[in-house]
Each structure stands twice: as structure tokens, then as C-alpha cells.
């Protein structure tokens, strides 16, 4: 995590100078950002699996992902202001330096596992161990190094359930993040600074609802709802809800109404973090980081197809409505696939399907 943040902060800081140098230097800098950012969510997932017992993981993920969404809000709101004051260099310099400041806090406050933390109290460590009740075999597997069993991981349908869910999540996430300012600008004729504010509101909603979803998910499990059913409930809300809301978005005539539909879609989307995202830790605690990396690879490809495809789709049809409806349908189909094949139980990856 530390090396990832350091690398993407440096690449972000250097991006304006790379752009002044050449197109290839700019592409290299942005590629470096992508490579470095790829470690963030797998590391987070692995850390949550090590530090939090099952009854607290949903809230942990909810809080962590709330920060993820608030970063979008800050970026969308501050970038126009920083560019107006410091030119194109402003956002890249400020955000790059902020990453290094965060890194200092991370290095001084964290460790890879509870028993390695120099400041953890004995009572907290015992609480974590007691609640998690990790078997000796699982501890052995978590600490085992070597080539992950990719073939066996891909031979199980619960793996494909989280891969498909993550792919759809990334498709929707990056299409909304990348295209919504342009959508508001071209459809409702608001300027790009106003469009940034309209686009930032939904991410604020996502940060708030993500924590609510985490609290509710943990509450369901503590009250006896099976982990499998809990994950499917969260995932259904997180995909069916945005699917319906995006259909509503295509009917909006005013930017405020469109922002409300978009806020509903993005806000409900946060429930999926308590579905497929935390599900990675449950079906494969010893391979959660690896499995998350596999999901991110598929998700990145889906994001590329979705983001680039949106441009071609809009150019071909002359409007956003068709692509938004396509995204809504894909949300509904992905929810169905997850509900059929997902499980909240640990999957035996020692044998093939």
C-alpha cells in the first residue's frame, strides 16, 4: 500500500510536466498512476480480513469506501477552483503532495497484522483473535507464499459471481465518474464548473449511504441472518436500485431532477460494497488479496470498454439515453447472476469444480 501511494502520488505530481514534454511521457505518467492504484483495494481487502472479525467487517469496508467516495467529491469540487487559481498544474501538484502527507500517517500508524502492531493493547489483540477464531490451517494458508492457484479459483462459480459483480461495478462507476460532467453540460447546458458540482453530489450521497449499509449489514448478521442472504440483499439493493434509478435518469428534463436520480443511483450503488466486495474475504480468506486483484483486472477491462464505448455509443446515436439504458439492463442482469451463484460461506479451493 505504501509503495503504491508513493508511486501514484509522484506520478500525479509529475503529470503536468510530462504533458509539457510529450504525449508519450504523459501516457507513461498516467499508466504509472493506474499501475500503482491497482494495489489499493486488494491491500484494503486483505487488511480488513486480518484486522476485523466478521461482525465488524461491513462497517470497516463502509467507512473505508466512504473515504474513497469523498475523494471523488473533493476532486470534482476542488479541481476547477485549483485550475482557476494555479492553472492546469494546480490539481496535480496539490493532490500529489497530499498523497505524500497521507503516506507519513500510514507508515506511522499501521501494520500488516494486529500482532505486528507495536502500539496495540493486549485486550484489543485478544478481542480480535477471539472474534475471528481463525484456525491453524487458515493462518498457515494466509502466511504461505507462492504462486496462487488461479485455475482452482476460476473453477468455482462463487468466484465468477464476484468477478461479474466487480466488472459491472467498475463499468457503472467509471462511466458515471467520467461522463456525467459532460452529460450535464451537453444535455442540460450547464457550464463545466456547475456540472462538476452536479456530479459531485451523488458521490457525497454514496459516502453516506455506504456507512449506513455497513451498519445494517453487520446488524443483520448479528441478529442471525445468514452471511449468504445478507450479501445477496446488499448486492441486490446495490445493483437493482441503480438500474431502476438510471432508467429514471433518462426521463429527467431538469438538471436538478437528473442530479436527484443520479444521486439515488450512486447512493444505492454503495450497498454493493457490502455484497461482492466484502464477499471476497468470506469465500477465500487466504486468497482475498489475490482474488481481489483478479476482480480488479476484469473490472478495469470492463471500465475501459464502458468508458470508451460510451463515447462511441453517444457519437453513433447522438444521445446518452441509449447507453444509460444499456447500463441499467447490465446492472439488473449482473444482480441476477450474483444471486444465483454467490455464497457467503468459505469455498473449498483445494479441489476443482
Amino acid at each position: 500500500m505504501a509503495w503504491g501511494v508513493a508511486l501514484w502520488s509522484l506520478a500525479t505530481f509529475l503529470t503536468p510536466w510530462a504533458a509539457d514534454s510529450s504525449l508519450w511521457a504523459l501516457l507513461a505518467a498516467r499508466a504509472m498512476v493506474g499501475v500503482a492504484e491497482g494495489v489499493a483495494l486488494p491491500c484494503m481487502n486483505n487488511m480488513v480480513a486480518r484486522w476485523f472479525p466478521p461482525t465488524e467487517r461491513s462497517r470497516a469496508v463502509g467507512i473505508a469506501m466512504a473515504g474513497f467516495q469523498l475523494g471523488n467529491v473533493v476532486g470534482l469540487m476542488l479541481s476547477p477552483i485549483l485550475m482557476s487559481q494555479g492553472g492546469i498544474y494546480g490539481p496535480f501538484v496539490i493532490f500529489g503532495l497530499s498523497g505524500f502527507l497521507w503516506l507519513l500517517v500510514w507508515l506511522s500508524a499501521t501494520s500488516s497484522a494486529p500482532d505486528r502492531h507495536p502500539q496495540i493493547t493486549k485486550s484489543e489483540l485478544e478481542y480480535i483473535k477471539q472474534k475471528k477464531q481463525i484456525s491453524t490451517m487458515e493462518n498457515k494458508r494466509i502466511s504461505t507464499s507462492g504462486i496462487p492457484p488461479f485455475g482452482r479459483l476460476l473453477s468455482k462459480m462463487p468466484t465468477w459471481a464476484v468477478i461479474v459483480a466487480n466488472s459491472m461495478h467498475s463499468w457503472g462507476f467509471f462511466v458515471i465518474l467520467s461522463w456525467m460532467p459532460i452529460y450535464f453540460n451537453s444535455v442540460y447546458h450547464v457550464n463545466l464548473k456547475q456540472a462538476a458540482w452536479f456530479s459531485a453530489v451523488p458521490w457525497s450521497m454514496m459516502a453516506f449511504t455506504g456507512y449506513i449499509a455497513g451498519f445494517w449489514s453487520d446488524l443483520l448478521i448479528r441478529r442471525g441472518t445468514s452471511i449468504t442472504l445478507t450479501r445477496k440483499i446488499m448486492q441486490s439493493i446495490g445493483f437493482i436500485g441503480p438500474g431502476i434509478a438510471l432508467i429514471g435518469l433518462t426521463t429527467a428534463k431538469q438538471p436538478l431532477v437528473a442530479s436527484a436520480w443520479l444521486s439515488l443511483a450512486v447512493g444505492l450503488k454503495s450497498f454493493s460494497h457490502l455484497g461482492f466486495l466484502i464477499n471476497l474475504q468470506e469465500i477465500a480468506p487466504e486468497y482475498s488479496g489475490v482474488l481481489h486483484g483478479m476482480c480488479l483486472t476484469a473490472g478495469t477491462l470492463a471500465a475501459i470498454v464502458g468508458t470508451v464505448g460510451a463515447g462511441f455509443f453517444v457519437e453513433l446515436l447522438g444521445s446518452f439515453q441509449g447507453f444509460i439504458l444499456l447500463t441499467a439492463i447490465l446492472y439488473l442482469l449482473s444482480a441476477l447472476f450474483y444471486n444465483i451463484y454467490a455464497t457467503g460461506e468459505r469455498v473449498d479451493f483445494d479441489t476443482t469444480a
Side-chain angles (χ1 to χ4, degrees):
M1 180 71 89
W3 279 107
V5 175
L7 184 58
W8 88 54
S9 297
L10 178 63
T12 298
F13 182 85
L14 295 176
T15 292
W17 287 274
D20 284 342
S21 176
S22 70
L23 175 61
W24 288 109
L26 173 62
L27 293 175
R30 302 314 294 166
M32 190 184 301
V33 172
V35 169
E37 286 184 336
V39 308
L41 290 179
C43 287
M44 182 203 78
N45 225 5
N46 198 290
M47 291 278 283
V48 169
R50 291 166 183 245
W51 274 87
F52 293 89
T55 54
E56 297 179 7
R57 286 177 184 170
S58 295
R59 278 171 290 170
V61 170
I63 292 171
M65 294 307 294
F68 193 85
Q69 313 314 329
L70 288 174
N72 292 328
V73 175
V74 172
L76 285 165
M77 291 170 58
L78 282 187
S79 290
I81 298 173
L82 292 173
M83 282 191 290
S84 67
Q85 299 297 318
I88 194 66
Y89 285 70
F92 296 98
V93 171
I94 296 300
F95 295 154
L97 292 177
S98 298
F100 284 108
L101 291 176
W102 179 91
L103 186 62
L104 295 176
V105 177
W106 174 263
L107 291 174
S108 64
T110 62
S111 65
S112 296
D115 55 6
R116 299 179 189 174
H117 199 288
Q119 299 174 344
I120 192 170
T121 63
K122 183 178 179 180
S123 59
E124 183 182 2
L125 183 59
E126 290 299 321
Y127 171 81
I128 293 172
K129 289 182 176 179
Q130 179 183 5
K131 290 287 185 179
K132 286 176 68 177
Q133 296 179 337
I134 300 177
S135 66
T136 304
M137 179 58 70
E138 184 174 317
N139 270 324
K140 181 179 178 181
R141 285 175 174 169
I142 288 176
S143 62
T144 299
S145 60
I147 299 175
F150 292 108
R152 294 201 300 272
L153 289 171
L154 291 172
S155 71
K156 308 291 186 179
M157 289 309 295
T159 299
W160 286 103
V162 294
I163 287 176
V164 168
N166 188 84
S167 298
M168 187 60 235
H169 177 77
S170 295
W171 173 296
F173 181 91
F174 286 102
V175 164
I176 292 173
L177 183 64
S178 302
W179 283 99
M180 283 306 103
I182 300 174
Y183 175 77
F184 278 99
N185 176 249
S186 62
V187 175
Y188 301 108
H189 308 294
V190 299
N191 64 49
L192 287 178
K193 188 173 182 180
Q194 292 173 318
W197 282 85
F198 277 117
S199 302
V201 171
W203 302 112
S204 303
M205 178 68 72
M206 192 175 192
F208 173 74
T209 56
Y211 178 75
I212 299 300
F215 180 83
W216 183 29
S217 178
D218 282 340
L219 184 64
L220 287 174
I221 293 173
R222 288 200 304 270
R223 291 185 173 179
T225 305
S226 71
I227 293 177
T228 297
L229 180 57
T230 300
R231 299 300 167 234
K232 290 182 177 181
I233 291 172
M234 296 295 118
Q235 192 64 44
S236 296
I237 297 172
F239 273 13
I240 296 175
I244 295 173
L246 287 178
I247 294 173
L249 175 62
T250 63
T251 68
K253 304 299 183 183
Q254 300 295 327
L256 284 176
V257 176
S259 184
W261 278 116
L262 191 61
S263 297
L264 181 61
V266 175
L268 292 176
K269 182 178 170 64
S270 66
F271 280 77
S272 67
H273 297 153
L274 292 313
F276 81 90
L277 185 57
I278 200 169
N279 197 201
L280 295 166
Q281 305 162 17
E282 294 158 346
I283 64 172
E286 68 273 36
Y287 301 121
S288 62
V290 174
L291 188 55
H292 200 157
M294 294 166 62
C295 288
L296 282 180
T297 299
T300 300
L301 293 175
I304 292 172
V305 171
T307 305
V308 176
F312 285 108
F313 204 98
V314 171
E315 185 175 351
L316 181 64
L317 296 182
S319 74
F320 281 91
Q321 266 65 19
F323 192 81
I324 292 174
L325 287 174
L326 172 63
T327 301
I329 292 170
L330 291 176
Y331 266 125
L332 299 176
L333 292 176
S334 299
L336 178 62
F337 188 89
Y338 185 88
N339 277 291
I340 292 173
Y341 293 111
T343 179
E345 304 300 320
R346 181 172 173 172
V347 176
D348 181 13
F349 289 108
D350 293 328
T351 58
T352 57

